[in-house]
Amino acid sequence: MNATNGTKGASVIIVGGGVSGLSSAWWLARAGVDVMVIEKGIVGWGASGRNGGGATHHQSPLFLEEQRLWPQMDELLRYPTEFQPKRIRIALSDQQVEEFKIGVDNTRGQGFPAEWLDPKQVRDLVPLAGNNVVGGVYYERGGHANPQRTVQAYAWALQDLGGRILQHTAVTGFQRRGGKVAAVETNAGVFSCDTLILAAGPQTGRLSALLDSEVPVTAARAEMIVTEPLPLMPIGGVDGNHLYGRQTLRGNLAYGGGPHEWLRPEDDAVAVRPSSPLARNVAKRLAELFPKAAHIRVIRSWAGVIENTPDGRPVIDRLPTAANAIVATMSSVGFGLSPATGRAISQLVIDGRCDFADLSSFRLSRFGNLSPDWREERGWLPPQTEDDDARAA
Ligand SMILES: Cc1cc2nc3c(=O)[nH]c(=O)nc-3n(C[C@H](O)[C@H](O)[C@H](O)COP(=O)(O)OP(=O)(O)OC[C@H]3O[C@@H](n4cnc5c(N)ncnc54)[C@H](O)[C@@H]3O)c2cc1C
């Protein structure tokens, strides 16, 4: 890696202090690379500090690495992530049993056990489950962690290795030289770099457009609710009923789940405020999932903004318009995959290729024939507001 010749900057600059950016930075710093993360708010301010904490992505080519790394992360980072292994999915209808089949096949196909459970077995393993259970699945591999603790752990571990994090610093543009990004412009000055990584969640497309590359990503708003603490269940990673979430180590149920609200990417700053209809909907379905907890009070809620690509899969690739720029946007699965994505991205920077997983399905070129109306075609448009109506009039 080239040094930065004493100028203000770093060998690798990463835009975005979420789990994707921080994990990449930490893996790079472990390999001795001079790295700086630039974050417009505080680390974890985006989806990374607001999510369900799930780490069970059997559909991803990074699943094996996700499952290999999570049990080691506290030791590697030297800070707690509160990772807990195992996951149970509860089905409350035959339709939900059907929906689980692909996950069971995927998991078994990759050599991990996945056991179908009958209603009694579910109730034995999940004391809060009720008589409405139709079936379930037990995953030996899979799990969950605390998003806030994980963000902190990455950030502190990175700083312990000499990596730098600039918070409250917004990236506003890029300077290019000879087909490469030479420097990053921010509201706190210009920072030179040898390599740029764009890991800005829902804002990744807007930033890549400044480099003349289209990365199709749009934003949706989700809400999480947290209940009072309950006695700890034997396995805290329980989901189903189209909810995601976990029981915290203190006993709270922290859950969220669609339907999500589609947004304009520029609206993500206001969209992090909770709205009661979404939170009420999550609370209703949580009471169905855990009838024995239906009496418990919701003590807090928050909203978060999820990044979504047209096919729901991450983009990890070099930008076609800037030879030293890598784009990393995770399309709603970024928390659990972060140990693996960070390692993959660090290898792309250092070696030019990832040696432990096939990342070809994450290439940007798969969107080569994407219709300009892809958001409309999927119904992923924000609801019309009075302001929109006034503008249109
Ligand atoms: C409610 C909810 C539940 C979820 N549940 C799960 C789950 O259970 N499991 C799972 O794996 N995933 C889950 N996700 C998705 C997961 O949280 C995201 O995929 C992941 O956090 C993305 O991380 P990231 O670092 O790529 O992006 P982000 O966390 O969005 O971070 C991007 C960062 O870039 C910064 N930024 C943007 N523009 C600029 C700029 N111009 N200059 C500087 N900084 C900038 C932002 O402030 C932000 O901090 C959930 C998401 C939400 C909202």
Side-chain angles (χ1 to χ4, degrees):
M1 278 279 123
N2 290 336
T4 46
N5 301 327
T7 57
K8 197 166 138 179
S11 181
V12 178
I13 288 186
I14 301 180
V15 186
V19 285
S20 306
L22 291 171
S23 174
S24 305
W26 172 71
W27 282 105
L28 284 163
R30 275 170 64 93
V33 177
D34 170 36
V35 59
M36 178 160 70
V37 174
I38 303 183
E39 164 57 49
K40 71 177 176 182
I42 56 171
V43 291
W45 182 252
S48 294
R50 299 164 180 270
N51 61 69
T56 314
H57 295 108
H58 53 77
Q59 75 283 14
S60 173
L62 293 169
F63 179 57
L64 294 182
E65 191 66 358
E66 176 190 58
Q67 298 310 314
R68 189 184 75 84
L69 286 173
W70 266 113
Q72 309 176 42
M73 288 310 283
D74 286 20
E75 205 180 320
L76 291 174
L77 293 166
R78 302 202 186 142
Y79 295 99
T81 62
E82 296 184 2
F83 172 74
Q84 300 287 303
K86 305 181 175 38
R87 179 145 291 261
I88 291 179
R89 302 224 136 108
I90 299 179
L92 302 185
S93 67
D94 292 337
Q95 169 65 29
Q96 290 180 6
V97 173
E98 261 324 286
E99 289 166 10
F100 292 168
K101 283 187 176 157
I102 184 161
V104 171
D105 290 348
N106 265 343
T107 305
R108 288 180 178 165
Q110 293 176 82
F112 294 129
E115 280 172 43
W116 287 104
L117 303 173
D118 65 30
K120 180 173 178 315
Q121 289 172 311
V122 171
R123 282 191 291 273
D124 288 347
L125 288 166
V126 184
L128 295 173
N131 291 330
N132 56 350
V133 172
V134 171
V137 185
Y138 169 71
Y139 293 98
E140 179 72 29
R141 302 302 292 266
H144 59 98
N146 178 329
Q148 270 299 336
R149 301 301 315 252
T150 302
V151 166
Q152 284 173 345
Y154 280 131
W156 291 337
L158 168 63
Q159 288 173 324
D160 288 349
L161 294 171
R164 286 167 288 163
I165 303 175
L166 289 187
Q167 299 187 98
H168 303 293
T169 305
V171 170
T172 52
F174 304 99
Q175 295 178 4
R176 284 189 274 185
R177 205 171 306 127
K180 291 184 170 181
V181 178
V184 174
E185 296 171 344
T186 76
N187 58 358
V190 176
F191 297 87
S192 62
C193 64
D194 300 320
T195 301
L196 172 75
I197 299 174
L198 290 181
Q203 300 300 325
T204 305
R206 297 175 87 201
L207 289 169
S208 69
L210 299 176
L211 290 167
D212 304 315
S213 276
E214 193 195 344
V215 177
V217 56
T218 197
R221 181 175 180 285
E223 292 195 18
M224 298 275 304
I225 60 168
V226 178
T227 70
E228 292 175 313
L230 287 154
L232 286 180
M233 298 191 283
I235 295 172
V238 183
D239 62 26
N241 210 18
H242 303 131
L243 296 170
Y244 39 71
R246 65 196 174 99
Q247 184 173 38
T248 68
L249 292 185
R250 193 165 167 265
N252 318 77
L253 302 175
Y255 278 82
H260 300 149
E261 282 178 2
W262 295 99
L263 300 174
R264 287 173 291 251
E266 60 271 30
D267 289 341
D268 70 351
V270 284
V272 292
R273 296 181 199 137
S275 88
S276 53
L278 277 183
R280 272 202 300 274
N281 179 293
V282 172
K284 176 176 168 290
R285 281 180 294 139
L286 188 59
E288 288 164 4
L289 185 69
F290 298 131
K292 292 179 186 159
H295 60 286
I296 215 78
R297 275 174 294 213
V298 171
I299 55 172
R300 61 196 174 98
S301 71
W302 65 80
V305 178
I306 306 180
E307 73 292 358
N308 296 270
T309 63
D311 60 7
R313 293 204 310 270
V315 176
I316 299 179
D317 203 357
R318 288 183 181 278
L319 281 187
T321 51
N324 61 340
I326 291 172
V327 64
T329 189
M330 297 305 144
S331 201
S332 80
V333 291
F335 178 76
L337 291 178
S338 62
T341 50
R343 182 159 177 249
I345 292 162
S346 73
Q347 288 194 351
L348 286 187
V349 172
I350 297 168
D351 306 322
R353 58 179 291 274
C354 170
D355 70 6
F356 60 85
D358 176 5
L359 302 185
S360 56
S361 60
F362 294 164
R363 283 197 192 121
L364 194 49
S365 56
R366 71 186 192 267
F367 299 122
N369 296 322
L370 190 69
S371 150
D373 298 328
W374 65 273
R375 290 182 182 81
E376 288 86 337
E377 286 165 6
R378 288 162 179 76
W380 291 1
L381 290 179
Q384 286 287 112
T385 63
E386 285 173 15
D387 285 352
D388 293 329
D389 294 342
R391 267 197 294 271

